[in-house]
Amino acid sequence: MFLVELVMQGVRGFRELARIRFQSGFNFVAAGNEAGKTTAVDAMRRLLFPSARPELMDGLISRSTPDASRAALVVFSDDGAYYRIIQDFSKRAVNLSKYNAATKDFALLHKDWDNAVQFMAGLTAGISEEDFSRVFTFRRDDYTDRKVSFARPAAPVRPVQPSKPAARPEEKTASNQAKLVELRETLRKSEEAADAEYKAQSAKLALDDVRKKLTALEELEQKKTEFDSTLEDLKGCEALPEELSELIEAYERLQAQKFSEAEGLKRELDGLTMQIASFPAVNLFRDKFFIAGAALLAASLFVGMFVLTSEQAFFFPISVVLSAGLMVTAWYTGARKNAQRKVVEREAEELEKEITQLDQRFEREGAAVKACLKTANAATVEELKDKADNYHQFLSLRAEIEEQRVRALGDRTPEALQEEYSALQQEALELGKAARALAPQNIDTYSIRQEIDRIESESSPEMPETAWDFGQAAQDLPDNFAAPIEGGSAAGFSAEIDIASRIGGIELETLVPAVEAAAQRNLASITGGKYVRIEVGQNGGPPIVHAVDDSIVNYAELSHGARDLVYFCLRTGLVEALAGKRRLPFILDDTVAAFDAARQKAASQILRNLGAKTQVILFSSNPALRAEGDAVAEFPS
């Protein structure tokens, strides 16, 4: 499993959205002091080990935006799938989804704490948060937090035995010399066997490195093929303009403006349509006043011609005027209504023209986005945005895969790497045979060296008489005889060894030599060969450090900086030894800052080499440690 992307908003000092992308190997994240390195590490740990407990989330909530504090982490699992977990620290909510290559989107899996916790536990191989922090999270404070004390074990109180006749000095010296010769020969053979075992382990590690590179190259090639297929489906997006986001934003604003204006015009048009309906077209010949006037006129003509007498003739003009008044009234009323109707119809026609012109204007102004829709074969703007985002995302992933491939190969070809693997196979086989042949001679050198030191001290000239007798009972010894010797940052490393043995399912007999082999290789590299070997301390004791002449250096006499180097090498060696069993991200929070410039670069190179075996994320305040070919993420301000 490795981390792909971390997104934070409203997390401690990150008020605005902050996004950091990672790759599978070594990642260098440059960030100044108080830029949020520890916040990023804490957020990653919280997302990897989700918990609904408020006290675990409250420390991440920003004081500036307490109501909008959230973070998301995208991980690539061992089964080849991308998962995204989102935690809203303000609302105490969680959301876990899986990337769907068909829909090019993350599909929701769980949004409850129990299932999210259980699922993430599966991704992290069931490791507890505490164990992950002890093994896979390395903070600068880990050096000082581990200052402990060790006391020399008190000598057992032995009953006083009757004195025996002392051996003559000549006999004792000869016996000691013979014993020294035998012990030194045993020590030489043991060291020869240890060297053979170390060479075999180193060859095996180198073989594993090349095998993992070949496997990783095959996986990368498969992913590259999948991404190429997806990019081929999204090929039309490569012609989209770079300012597509701005175009879409302008288009959406245009659409909102169009909708607003069109709605206003349509409401006006609906009102005019209702007015037109209230003014029906008037037919003069159907008007009741016109019909009444025409009937009265006809009746007046008939009566006037055939009925009225000369005395009644004055009724005729009256009836004619009355009928004419009725007809004129009907004509005036109809003409007036028709005129009003025509005015409203003209207004409605003008509004329809405005709506048409509005559509044409917005059509012209949105032509660029319409062209992009056609180019990307998208039906809607939302689909266009999704396709464009997916295209750029997969283009970025493909570029990252190509960078990983180049970094894995270096200046070699896949064929040369395969040839190197075959050669290493043969070398590892031969060295393994040699180590097995010498295995019976590989015994505990520490006890042999102690015995040699004891005999040599007995053979040395007699020391002046001291103020106390070592043969006395323990209570008679001076109070400061068992005074503690200050330990160092590597003290008590057996706890980490035990955790790694448990979570990796590796026996201590196998794990400890592998850790020591990797640690002593790192120590020799970072100190320029001044110290060449490390042995993990027993029973919580400090480690045993060997100088270049193979002499044991008293751990209490090492400087604080040297102890920190020892602890750094042990921690990196432990992660390297676990990489074959548990490939989890190794996250370092500015852990090389206290070293001098040369050792900072050497330590960074050790982490860079470790990145070939597992994901390493180094947050550093020193941008000068960046090297060509590193996956670099500039930390957001």
Side-chain angles (χ1 to χ4, degrees):
M1 182 197 79
F2 66 87
L3 309 184
V4 178
E5 185 178 52
L6 171 67
V7 182
M8 297 178 290
Q9 185 176 21
V11 178
R12 290 182 185 162
F14 293 98
R15 288 184 294 179
E16 303 299 329
L17 186 72
R19 187 184 305 271
I20 313 172
R21 292 189 65 85
F22 307 109
Q23 296 186 9
S24 59
F26 175 73
N27 295 264
F28 183 82
V29 185
N33 291 328
E34 298 186 357
K37 299 183 291 295
T38 301
T39 296
V41 174
D42 290 344
M44 285 190 283
R45 187 180 66 177
R46 186 77 284 116
L47 290 162
L48 285 172
F49 300 93
S51 173
R53 292 166 57 189
E55 64 270 19
L56 296 179
M57 291 184 279
D58 289 345
L60 293 171
I61 297 176
S62 171
R63 290 187 298 239
S64 302
T65 56
D67 297 330
S69 177
R70 61 186 67 88
L73 187 68
V74 179
V75 301
F76 182 77
S77 66
D78 294 336
D79 61 2
Y82 289 91
Y83 296 94
R84 180 180 66 191
I85 182 167
I86 303 174
Q87 287 192 44
D88 192 319
F89 304 124
S90 301
K91 300 178 180 178
R92 311 286 193 254
V94 67
N95 181 305
L96 181 67
S97 54
K98 178 181 180 181
Y99 182 76
N100 189 330
T103 62
K104 309 293 189 299
D105 197 3
F106 282 93
L108 179 66
L109 291 179
H110 306 294
K111 59 179 181 179
D112 61 287
W113 285 103
D114 291 340
N115 285 318
V117 169
Q118 184 177 358
F119 189 89
M120 291 303 295
L123 289 183
T124 53
I127 299 174
S128 69
E129 181 178 352
E130 181 181 357
D131 289 348
F132 182 87
S133 300
R134 292 288 295 274
V135 177
F136 295 101
T137 303
F138 193 179
R139 301 177 184 273
R140 187 174 178 179
D141 294 341
D142 289 351
Y143 294 121
T144 56
D145 289 346
R146 302 181 59 81
K147 302 293 182 185
V148 299
S149 299
F150 295 95
R152 293 185 181 91
V157 179
R158 294 175 294 182
V160 178
Q161 300 291 337
S163 60
K164 297 180 180 180
R168 287 182 300 177
E170 296 81 2
E171 295 177 358
K172 188 174 183 180
T173 302
S175 174
N176 286 345
Q177 290 298 327
K179 185 66 173 177
L180 279 175
V181 171
E182 180 184 352
L183 287 174
R184 285 170 178 160
E185 179 63 18
T186 303
L187 180 62
R188 184 191 65 79
K189 291 181 179 180
S190 178
E191 290 177 343
E192 183 181 353
D195 289 340
E197 178 66 22
Y198 171 71
K199 291 178 181 178
Q201 289 288 342
S202 299
K204 184 179 178 182
L205 289 173
L207 183 65
D208 289 342
D209 290 345
V210 177
R211 179 170 60 247
K212 289 173 183 176
K213 285 183 179 179
L214 290 172
T215 303
L217 285 173
E218 292 179 2
E219 295 174 355
L220 291 174
E221 195 63 33
Q222 182 179 358
K223 292 177 186 175
K224 181 174 176 291
T225 303
E226 295 174 359
F227 290 156
D228 285 341
S229 175
T230 304
L231 289 171
E232 183 64 27
D233 296 337
L234 300 171
K235 188 175 182 180
C237 295
E238 65 183 2
L240 295 176
E242 294 183 359
E243 65 278 6
L244 179 63
S245 299
E246 291 79 2
L247 287 176
I248 291 177
E249 289 179 5
Y251 181 78
E252 289 177 341
R253 289 195 300 270
L254 198 65
Q255 289 296 313
Q257 181 183 354
K258 174 187 173 183
F259 178 80
S260 176
E261 293 182 11
E263 280 296 308
L265 292 175
K266 287 180 179 178
R267 283 196 297 270
E268 292 183 24
L269 183 60
D270 291 340
L272 293 177
T273 303
M274 293 177 64
Q275 289 186 37
I276 292 172
S278 66
F279 294 131
V282 178
N283 189 339
L284 185 62
F285 297 103
R286 293 184 179 178
D287 188 274
K288 56 184 180 179
F289 290 104
F290 184 81
I291 295 172
L296 181 58
L297 179 59
S300 298
L301 291 174
F302 178 78
V303 171
M305 292 176 62
F306 301 104
V307 176
L308 293 178
T309 63
S310 57
E311 291 82 6
Q312 299 172 334
F314 68 91
F315 288 109
F316 177 72
I318 294 173
S319 62
V320 170
V321 171
L322 183 60
S323 63
L326 290 172
M327 295 174 69
V328 169
T329 299
W331 171 81
Y332 174 77
T333 303
R336 187 168 175 272
K337 288 183 178 180
N338 286 337
Q340 291 177 340
R341 178 185 176 87
K342 287 181 180 180
V343 170
V344 176
E345 286 178 343
R346 281 196 299 270
E347 291 179 2
E349 290 175 359
E350 290 296 329
L351 283 177
E352 289 177 349
K353 288 180 181 179
E354 285 188 39
I355 293 174
T356 303
Q357 292 173 356
L358 182 67
D359 290 337
Q360 292 173 351
R361 178 167 64 87
F362 283 109
E363 188 71 24
R364 288 193 303 271
E365 293 177 356
V369 175
K370 294 289 186 183
C372 293
L373 288 170
K374 184 177 180 181
T375 301
N377 194 25
T380 63
V381 174
E382 287 73 18
E383 184 180 355
L384 175 63
K385 286 195 291 187
D386 289 342
K387 284 192 172 184
D389 290 344
N390 290 333
Y391 175 76
H392 289 298
Q393 181 180 3
F394 279 102
L395 204 62
S396 174
L397 290 173
R398 188 185 182 280
E400 289 178 6
I401 286 177
E402 189 61 31
E403 289 179 6
Q404 293 175 27
R405 185 174 180 275
V406 171
R407 208 164 46 246
L409 285 173
D411 55 354
R412 297 167 294 184
T413 62
E415 293 76 15
L417 191 63
Q418 187 64 50
E419 292 176 3
E420 180 183 351
Y421 179 72
S422 301
L424 284 173
Q425 271 186 318
Q426 184 63 30
E427 181 183 355
L429 183 63
E430 294 173 358
L431 290 174
K433 289 181 180 178
R436 286 192 294 274
L438 295 173
Q441 302 174 10
N442 193 357
I443 60 177
D444 181 16
T445 61
Y446 183 63
S447 59
I448 297 176
R449 290 180 187 277
Q450 283 186 321
E451 183 67 13
I452 291 175
D453 291 342
R454 184 189 65 78
I455 295 175
E456 287 179 342
S457 65
E458 289 179 356
S459 302
S460 62
E462 188 173 342
M463 299 294 291
E465 185 177 355
T466 59
W468 62 82
D469 182 3
F470 281 96
Q472 294 177 0
Q475 60 267 23
D476 295 333
L477 297 178
D479 293 336
N480 63 349
F481 179 72
I485 300 175
E486 184 184 3
S489 52
F493 192 72
S494 58
E496 280 82 350
I497 291 285
D498 292 338
I499 293 172
S501 173
R502 183 178 69 253
I503 65 179
I506 307 173
E507 296 293 334
L508 289 174
E509 292 78 5
T510 303
L511 179 62
V512 171
V515 174
E516 290 177 344
Q520 65 193 21
R521 183 176 66 249
N522 295 342
L523 184 63
S525 172
I526 202 171
T527 61
K530 183 176 181 180
Y531 304 108
V532 295
R533 291 183 60 188
I534 304 179
E535 297 176 31
V536 176
Q538 301 295 322
N539 300 322
I544 303 167
V545 181
H546 295 255
V548 65
D549 59 356
D550 208 23
S551 62
I552 297 178
V553 181
N554 188 347
Y555 190 78
E557 296 176 359
L558 291 173
S559 68
H560 290 289
R563 297 175 197 173
D564 292 346
L565 286 176
V566 170
Y567 183 59
F568 174 85
C569 295
L570 287 171
R571 285 293 301 269
T572 53
L574 182 62
V575 173
E576 180 178 339
L578 271 177
K581 291 286 188 178
R582 291 286 181 265
R583 295 189 63 183
L584 293 173
F586 186 33
I587 306 169
L588 301 97
D589 183 6
D590 215 7
T591 49
V592 301
F595 301 162
D596 59 55
R599 289 181 172 179
Q600 282 191 39
K601 291 185 178 180
S604 299
Q605 187 57 45
I606 289 173
L607 296 173
R608 203 169 282 113
N609 296 337
L610 181 58
K613 302 177 177 63
T614 187
Q615 186 183 37
V616 177
I617 303 174
L618 172 62
F619 291 89
S620 175
S621 57
N622 185 2
L625 299 180
R626 172 183 177 180
E628 185 177 357
D630 286 346
V632 178
E634 291 294 337
F635 211 66
S637 300

